[in-house]
Amino acid sequence: MVRRAAFAALAMSVVIVVTGGAVRLTASGLGCTTWPRCTDESLTPTAEMGFHGVVEFTNRMLTYVLSAAVGWAILAARCHRPWRRGMTKLGWAQFWLVMSNAVLGGITVLTGLNPYTVALHMIAAMALVWVALLMWERSKEGDGPAKLSVARPIHQLSYVLVTVVGLLVAAGTLVTGAGHHPGTPKDNKIVPRIPIDYDRLAQFHADFAFVSVGLAIAVIFVFAAVKAPQPARARAKELLAVLLLQGVLGFVQYFTDAPELMVGLHMFLATLTWIAALRIPLALRTRDDLAPADRLPARAPQPAAV
């Protein structure tokens, strides 16, 4: 039950990233003109708002579906016997991330799609993916203390790789902020953009991609040399495959003037790249079940029968 609920929350966290990207790529970022209502007079989009209003409002409604999935994960962890306290905390962490990102999304609308709040909105969504993934991975483990399967420097190297991939994703949000899709129709000149040359930001993003690929290759060889657990070696290869696919897609996207469908696919693969990187350090340690004495409080001795 806990594993299924945690996976549902993870899947919805990926969906909300993709649908959020769809809002921007369909130029529907201001489809609802205010927040938390859609207009000053209406909670829902009006007929005059057309397609863009429906897209923006649908994405807002999916936040409730995401909240329901997170709520299921919290209840599943809380009702599990024995109670999985750590899992419950991860569920509540997801809840507060969803709420804070909903508010940040509202601020994004109220500030007219300021590119910096749009970037923070995306980064907060990736933070949600991180916590949701951690809960799902933990659902397959016990609740005992973590035990490293490799030397600590090797484990630290995996976190260096995660950090670089995280910076790669963050750099991508800057490219978006200066790029071709501000989230409104192209004739709308009011939406601010990041005042840095688009080509320079794209090169900056590509540099992080090259570093990520090189580091992923190095990690694969290091894992093979130290005979790291097979799941960790397999996950490192999966990350490299997704990075290479992303690299090819990114170059094609750049030289074809960033078509909407390709940008949306790039965002989806960015989420998968982030997940692939995060799963590597999690495969380098194990957790056993707690002993019964650690899980349950000792029962008080019963008085002897008279």
Side-chain angles (χ1 to χ4, degrees):
M1 174 69 77
V2 177
R3 189 177 304 180
R4 288 196 297 270
F7 182 78
L10 173 60
M12 276 306 305
S13 70
V14 175
V15 168
I16 208 70
V17 171
V18 174
T19 58
V23 170
R24 179 169 58 85
L25 295 172
T26 58
S28 303
L30 296 177
C32 286
T33 56
T34 188
W35 184 87
R37 302 167 69 88
C38 197
T39 70
D40 290 334
E41 296 79 23
S42 174
L43 181 64
T44 59
T46 62
E48 293 78 11
M49 302 173 75
F51 171 76
H52 297 307
V54 171
V55 172
E56 164 67 2
F57 187 73
T58 299
N59 184 61
R60 292 187 183 189
M61 291 300 99
L62 282 174
T63 301
Y64 292 100
V65 180
L66 172 62
S67 298
V70 171
W72 179 26
I74 294 171
L75 287 173
R78 186 63 183 85
C79 296
H80 187 272
R81 293 294 178 267
W83 173 28
R84 304 197 65 176
R85 185 187 300 270
M87 295 284 289
T88 307
K89 290 181 178 179
L90 288 172
W92 278 111
Q94 289 179 70
F95 173 79
W96 291 115
L97 279 170
V98 171
M99 294 300 102
S100 60
N101 209 15
V103 173
L104 185 56
I107 294 172
T108 300
V109 172
L110 295 175
T111 56
L113 303 185
N114 181 284
Y116 299 106
T117 59
V118 172
L120 287 175
H121 197 37
M122 176 66 173
I123 291 172
M126 288 299 187
L128 174 63
V129 170
W130 185 355
V131 180
L133 174 69
L134 183 57
M135 184 175 186
W136 181 57
E137 291 283 350
R138 285 290 307 275
S139 71
K140 298 180 285 185
E141 304 172 331
D143 289 320
K147 300 176 183 178
L148 293 183
S149 305
V150 294
R152 186 169 295 279
I154 305 301
H155 192 242
Q156 292 171 339
L157 175 63
S158 70
Y159 276 111
V160 172
L161 179 58
V162 168
T163 301
V164 172
V165 171
L167 292 173
L168 171 65
V169 174
T173 66
L174 297 179
V175 177
T176 295
H180 303 287
H181 303 287
T184 59
K186 293 183 178 179
D187 58 354
N188 187 335
K189 305 300 183 182
I190 300 176
V191 176
R193 311 300 290 144
I194 292 178
I196 302 176
D197 182 70
Y198 172 74
D199 292 333
R200 289 186 178 182
L201 283 176
Q203 182 61 58
F204 179 68
H205 183 47
D207 291 342
F208 269 112
F210 288 129
V211 173
S212 299
V213 169
L215 189 55
I217 293 173
V219 165
I220 290 173
F221 280 104
V222 169
F223 282 6
V226 301
K227 295 182 172 55
Q230 182 57 37
R233 284 185 274 175
R235 292 179 183 187
K237 293 175 183 177
E238 290 169 3
L239 172 62
L240 177 61
V242 178
L243 281 170
L244 292 175
L245 180 59
Q246 271 286 72
V248 172
L249 184 62
F251 275 106
V252 173
Q253 173 184 308
Y254 178 80
F255 289 109
T256 56
D257 205 25
E260 287 82 358
L261 184 60
M262 194 167 292
V263 175
L265 180 58
H266 197 58
M267 289 186 65
F268 173 63
L269 287 177
T271 310
L272 296 186
T273 303
W274 180 229
I275 289 174
L278 290 170
R279 295 184 73 213
I280 294 173
L282 297 177
L284 294 174
R285 85 286 185 277
T286 59
R287 288 180 185 271
D288 298 325
D289 283 325
L290 290 172
D294 295 323
R295 290 200 307 246
L296 300 173
R299 295 182 62 183
Q302 299 295 320
V306 177

